[in-house]
Amino acid sequence: METFLIRALQLILSLSLLVIVHEGGHFFFARLFKIRVEKFYIFFDPWFALFKYKPKHSDTEYGIGWLPLGGYCKISGMIDESMDTEQMKKPPQPWEFRSKPAGQRLLVMVGGVLMNFILALFIYSMILFTWGDSYIALKDMTYGMKFNEQAREIGFRDGDILLSADGEELTRFNGDMIRSIVEAREVTVLRDGEEKQILMPELSLLDVAQQSPMFVSVFQPNVVDSVIAGGGFAQAGIQKGDSLVAFNGTEIRSWNEFLDQMNRLQLNAELQEKTSGEFTLVYSRAGIRDTVNVQTDASFKVNAYGGLIDYKVTDVSYGFFQSFPAGVMLGINTLKGYANDMKYVFTAEGAKSLGGFGTIGSIFPKVWDWQRFWEMTAFLSIILAFMNILPIPALDGGHVLFLLYEIIARRKPSDKFMEYAQMVGMFLLLALLIWANFNDVMRFIF
């Protein structure tokens, strides 16, 4: 329960900040061009609001709604989420959105996306300034990588050190590295002191990301690093420094393979409705092998750790002014990666992988970690900016599309067309929201 509350609080805080900044972008440009803003709300307020306040001599009511699906800035003289069509039947007023030049209206509509992107760049810059950047370079991972069966069929071998993909250097183990490998035509690795080129077939990043065992992971030697008293390993007599040789008769050559076998054991036990598991383990100590039976706990753990390697860590620190170009590059690369991955959403597997609030909340850490919180907030700000600029009616991108049409064709779409387009867009977004959260429910049940 505590974990749920911590994640929920981080999600609400992050989304509230992003909504304020996004709607603040619309508000800023609207007021800059002397357009009246009737409402500025965090979250939606159908039927009632949790809080509302209208300052004296102000045209704007500020409030907090009860439906946490975003927020809105009700601008006079435009068809938006409020669907206030009665206002549009009246003669245009000079303070209304529809009375302003197309260029000004365009800036009002892209203001939210612009502010979200600027916010992400600023957060990334401040993360680098405050915490710097620490990572283990792939070239320093001297034990190389561990590959699954599909990767080995392509030509990779356990222990390969990843060097480059299509000539671009691979520097660190992360999602961008996986993407580079999957989309490359040729990957170069260091094997037994020699560079080898591996020709890549056409792969789906979505399929690779869902594989278990992982397509590629950091190789962990099959050596026990620590044993917790009272756990399964401790009861079986396993000690620090022992090497794992076989699991239920299957040879294991790395800690990665041991964890894979543990996962299979758990799945089989759960299918048989067992609350724990037992397996036979062969281990080696000082060149002498022995066989023991190991009992897991109710969480199918043996309370031991292994495969830890003291690799060299690369630490990079940034001065205040140095952090901004580095933060901008990090934000742009994040946007490029996310935009590139969007093509998978329009596949059957991609639709199944969509997630709602449960999925978004799960990306936040179980304990409060400010660095991780700001990293996730910056990433969500990138997503919000990208999703809102898509040319879908009811999103900012839909309004931008119609404004561009007006600029090119030199005539506005009719109010009736805009009304229908807004309704269709809202229906599509609602359906997407229901589907994404339905996926979350199904994952929770199964």
Side-chain angles (χ1 to χ4, degrees):
M1 185 62 179
E2 181 181 358
T3 297
F4 171 80
L5 291 176
I6 290 174
R7 280 178 163 168
L9 183 59
Q10 291 179 90
L11 176 62
I12 293 172
L13 180 60
S14 180
L15 290 182
S16 298
L17 174 63
L18 297 182
V19 168
I20 290 173
V21 170
H22 182 88
E23 300 304 331
H26 295 310
F27 182 89
F28 170 77
F29 283 104
R31 300 305 298 135
L32 180 66
F33 300 129
K34 297 181 173 21
I35 302 172
R36 184 173 294 176
V37 179
E38 299 174 17
K39 282 186 172 185
F40 185 97
Y41 265 68
I42 302 173
F43 306 145
F44 293 114
D45 63 327
W47 303 297
F48 69 93
L50 299 178
F51 168 81
K52 59 183 177 181
Y53 172 69
K54 187 174 184 180
K56 289 182 180 180
H57 312 298
S58 173
D59 297 314
T60 307
E61 176 183 292
Y62 302 89
I64 301 175
W66 60 270
L67 190 59
L69 300 181
Y72 72 100
C73 195
K74 188 177 186 306
I75 297 174
S76 295
M78 71 173 291
I79 298 175
D80 57 9
E81 298 92 337
S82 65
M83 295 302 294
D84 185 3
T85 56
E86 291 302 316
Q87 185 184 66
M88 304 300 290
K89 296 177 182 178
K90 300 175 183 178
Q93 300 298 320
W95 62 79
E96 288 186 334
F97 178 83
R98 55 181 166 164
S99 300
K100 301 299 179 178
Q104 293 184 5
R105 284 181 281 135
L106 184 64
L107 284 174
V108 171
M109 295 317 305
V110 301
V113 168
L114 179 64
M115 290 303 175
N116 273 131
F117 189 58
I118 291 175
L119 174 66
L121 300 183
F122 178 75
I123 292 176
Y124 279 132
S125 299
M126 291 301 96
I127 289 173
L128 294 175
F129 172 64
T130 304
W131 289 286
D133 190 14
S134 296
Y135 64 97
I136 299 174
L138 287 172
K139 62 182 178 60
D140 292 328
M141 294 182 177
T142 52
Y143 278 87
M145 297 290 119
K146 181 76 175 69
F147 299 92
N148 68 7
E149 183 178 352
Q150 182 188 21
R152 290 194 295 271
E153 289 176 353
I154 292 171
F156 292 99
R157 296 292 178 266
D158 290 348
D160 283 351
I161 299 175
L162 297 169
L163 297 180
S164 64
D166 285 342
E168 292 291 328
E169 183 184 6
L170 299 172
T171 57
R172 66 180 75 189
F173 187 90
N174 57 17
D176 290 336
M177 182 209 75
I178 303 291
R179 183 184 298 108
S180 297
I181 291 173
V182 169
E183 297 181 350
R185 301 184 66 179
E186 182 180 86
V187 175
T188 302
V189 301
L190 185 65
R191 182 185 301 163
D192 298 328
E194 296 183 8
E195 291 190 7
K196 301 287 185 181
Q197 280 68 45
I198 298 172
L199 298 179
M200 298 294 296
E202 186 173 341
L203 297 173
S204 164
L205 180 61
L206 187 62
D207 291 340
V208 169
Q210 294 176 338
Q211 290 178 3
S212 181
M214 293 175 59
F215 183 87
V216 56
S217 55
V218 178
F219 185 90
Q220 297 174 279
N222 57 341
V223 179
V224 179
D225 181 78
S226 59
V227 178
I228 300 173
F233 265 27
Q235 294 175 8
I238 305 296
Q239 300 177 8
K240 177 179 179 178
D242 290 347
S243 298
L244 310 185
V245 178
F247 186 109
N248 281 345
T250 300
E251 182 183 3
I252 50 178
R253 297 171 297 276
S254 66
W255 191 262
N256 312 68
E257 294 179 5
F258 170 71
L259 295 178
D260 293 339
Q261 293 293 336
M262 288 293 294
N263 288 334
R264 292 191 183 97
L265 178 73
Q266 180 177 354
L267 289 174
N268 291 333
E270 289 176 346
L271 289 174
Q272 299 174 34
E273 299 183 352
K274 294 181 179 179
T275 57
S276 64
E278 185 178 7
F279 60 92
T280 301
L281 181 71
V282 178
Y283 70 93
S284 174
R285 180 184 302 161
I288 300 175
R289 294 191 178 191
D290 196 4
T291 303
V292 293
N293 292 324
V294 181
Q295 182 73 39
T296 75
D297 61 15
S299 300
F300 294 89
K301 306 295 183 185
V302 292
N303 294 315
Y305 300 94
L308 301 182
I309 308 172
D310 189 20
Y311 282 137
K312 171 190 171 185
V313 177
T314 300
D315 293 309
V316 184
S317 59
Y318 295 89
F320 182 75
F321 293 106
Q322 290 176 317
S323 68
F324 286 99
V328 168
M329 286 302 301
L330 179 55
I332 291 175
N333 288 336
T334 301
L335 175 61
K336 288 168 60 177
Y338 183 77
N340 182 68
D341 295 345
M342 276 298 295
K343 61 189 177 186
Y344 297 106
V345 172
F346 303 101
T347 65
E349 286 300 316
K352 293 178 183 178
S353 69
L354 285 175
F357 292 112
T359 297
I360 297 173
S362 68
I363 70 176
F364 288 95
K366 297 179 181 179
V367 295
W368 199 282
D369 181 333
W370 279 112
Q371 181 179 357
R372 186 64 176 164
F373 169 81
W374 287 117
E375 287 173 349
M376 292 301 97
T377 299
F379 180 58
L380 290 177
S381 196
I382 292 282
I383 293 176
L384 185 60
F386 180 82
M387 295 299 292
N388 262 284
I389 205 60
L390 292 177
I392 299 174
L395 291 178
D396 297 341
H399 290 283
V400 168
L401 179 66
F402 297 137
L403 278 168
L404 292 176
Y405 165 80
E406 178 185 339
I407 292 172
I408 295 171
R410 297 179 181 271
R411 62 188 181 91
K412 294 182 180 180
S414 68
D415 288 344
K416 185 60 66 175
F417 172 83
M418 294 295 292
E419 180 182 339
Y420 287 145
Q422 186 74 15
M423 291 172 62
V424 169
M426 291 176 66
F427 173 79
L428 291 174
L429 293 178
L430 182 61
L432 181 63
L433 181 67
I434 293 173
W435 174 254
N437 284 281
F438 171 76
N439 284 343
D440 280 352
V441 173
M442 296 304 291
R443 292 188 194 106
F444 177 77
I445 293 174
F446 297 103

